[in-house]
Amino acid sequence: MFLNYDPEKIEKFSNDFLIATGVEIGVCDENFKRLNYQKPSGNKYCAMIHEKEIRRIVCRHCDRDLLAKCKAQGRAVMHVCHAGLVDLGLPIMYENKIIAYLILGQFRTEESFPKLQKRELFSDDELTKLKSLYSERPIFDNEKIESIANVAMMMVRYILFENVLVPKYDPAFDRTLAFISENIEKSLT
């Protein structure tokens, strides 16, 4: 599906959300390609993780896994990322079809340092530093995460109401599909 979107409006509401909540937000299309991504500049924990390309790749795979779960279930989904933070994926639905996603997160929910899924990607010195940076992250309880998710759901309604993201139908594509459907049983010669 082709998607029309207003990059300035996406940038504005994403940045406003980030400033108001301090929570990272991304907008992805139906194929999980990022259209916009806002992250807090003070998140040293994730910044350190992202210092190496292999760890950035692990983060991207983790995000894709979250959005794939969201797509499969057709609803908002929460998970714990490889670095022990909670992320939330929310579908943006248009006429009962997912056209895009919001991804929010990097919520610290635990007091103690989490068990990293890819421990081997960190030296002992890096782990010591990560533990310190983790302790600097604010802790979000379930009520606060739920409230942020509710605000994000309001943003989804705004996105649709203001036509910030809308499917773009290509008449030529529709004609091509109709032709194929009408002629699928016929010989190619």
Side-chain angles (χ1 to χ4, degrees), residues 71-111:
K71 181 177 189 170
Q73 296 179 25
R75 62 176 179 81
V77 174
M78 217 178 336
H79 81 163
V80 178
C81 78
H82 71 98
L85 301 176
V86 172
D87 292 325
L88 176 66
L90 296 105
I92 299 173
M93 309 277 286
Y94 184 86
E95 295 181 359
N96 295 320
K97 188 169 183 184
I98 296 174
I99 61 169
Y101 302 88
L102 289 183
I103 187 166
L104 318 169
Q106 301 178 336
F107 301 109
R108 175 183 170 204
T109 59
E110 301 294 330
E111 191 67 44

Side-chain angles (χ1 to χ4, degrees), residues 12-53:
K12 176 75 172 120
F13 81 70
S14 296
N15 196 49
D16 287 346
F17 183 84
L18 173 66
I19 290 168
T21 64
V23 173
E24 175 182 310
I25 182 169
V27 180
C28 302
D29 70 12
E30 68 173 329
N31 299 310
F32 314 145
K33 179 182 173 228
R34 287 194 173 164
L35 304 176
N36 183 278
Y37 182 62
Q38 297 290 329
K39 59 184 176 180
S41 59
N43 185 348
K44 296 176 186 171
Y45 180 73
C46 290
M48 183 176 175
I49 291 170
H50 291 168
E51 285 175 358
K52 294 190 178 172
E53 178 64 20

Side-chain angles (χ1 to χ4, degrees), residues 22-177:
V23 173
E24 175 182 310
I25 182 169
V27 180
C28 302
D29 70 12
E30 68 173 329
N31 299 310
F32 314 145
K33 179 182 173 228
R34 287 194 173 164
L35 304 176
N36 183 278
Y37 182 62
Q38 297 290 329
K39 59 184 176 180
S41 59
N43 185 348
K44 296 176 186 171
Y45 180 73
C46 290
M48 183 176 175
I49 291 170
H50 291 168
E51 285 175 358
K52 294 190 178 172
E53 178 64 20
I54 187 66
R55 298 189 307 226
R56 284 192 299 274
I57 290 169
V58 171
C59 286
R60 284 194 296 270
H61 282 274
C62 200
D63 287 349
R64 290 181 69 82
D65 288 347
L66 171 65
L67 296 180
K69 289 176 194 170
C70 186
K71 181 177 189 170
Q73 296 179 25
R75 62 176 179 81
V77 174
M78 217 178 336
H79 81 163
V80 178
C81 78
H82 71 98
L85 301 176
V86 172
D87 292 325
L88 176 66
L90 296 105
I92 299 173
M93 309 277 286
Y94 184 86
E95 295 181 359
N96 295 320
K97 188 169 183 184
I98 296 174
I99 61 169
Y101 302 88
L102 289 183
I103 187 166
L104 318 169
Q106 301 178 336
F107 301 109
R108 175 183 170 204
T109 59
E110 301 294 330
E111 191 67 44
S112 59
F113 186 67
K115 182 177 189 273
L116 300 177
Q117 291 176 10
K118 300 285 185 177
R119 161 60 180 98
E120 67 276 8
L121 298 178
F122 301 92
S123 70
D124 289 340
D125 289 343
E126 287 175 321
L127 278 177
T128 300
K129 179 69 174 164
L130 269 179
K131 286 178 185 177
S132 172
L133 294 174
Y134 181 82
S135 68
E136 294 174 11
R137 302 274 309 136
I139 295 177
F140 290 81
D141 61 22
N142 288 338
E143 183 180 28
K144 187 161 187 169
I145 293 173
E146 187 176 321
S147 294
I148 290 170
N150 288 337
V151 171
M153 291 303 291
M154 289 178 222
M155 282 183 16
V156 166
R157 288 191 283 278
Y158 164 81
I159 288 166
L160 295 170
F161 183 75
E162 291 292 321
N163 294 318
V164 175
L165 291 168
V166 291
K168 178 172 87 172
Y169 296 103
D170 183 351
F173 183 72
D174 289 342
R175 287 192 303 275
T176 302
L177 284 179

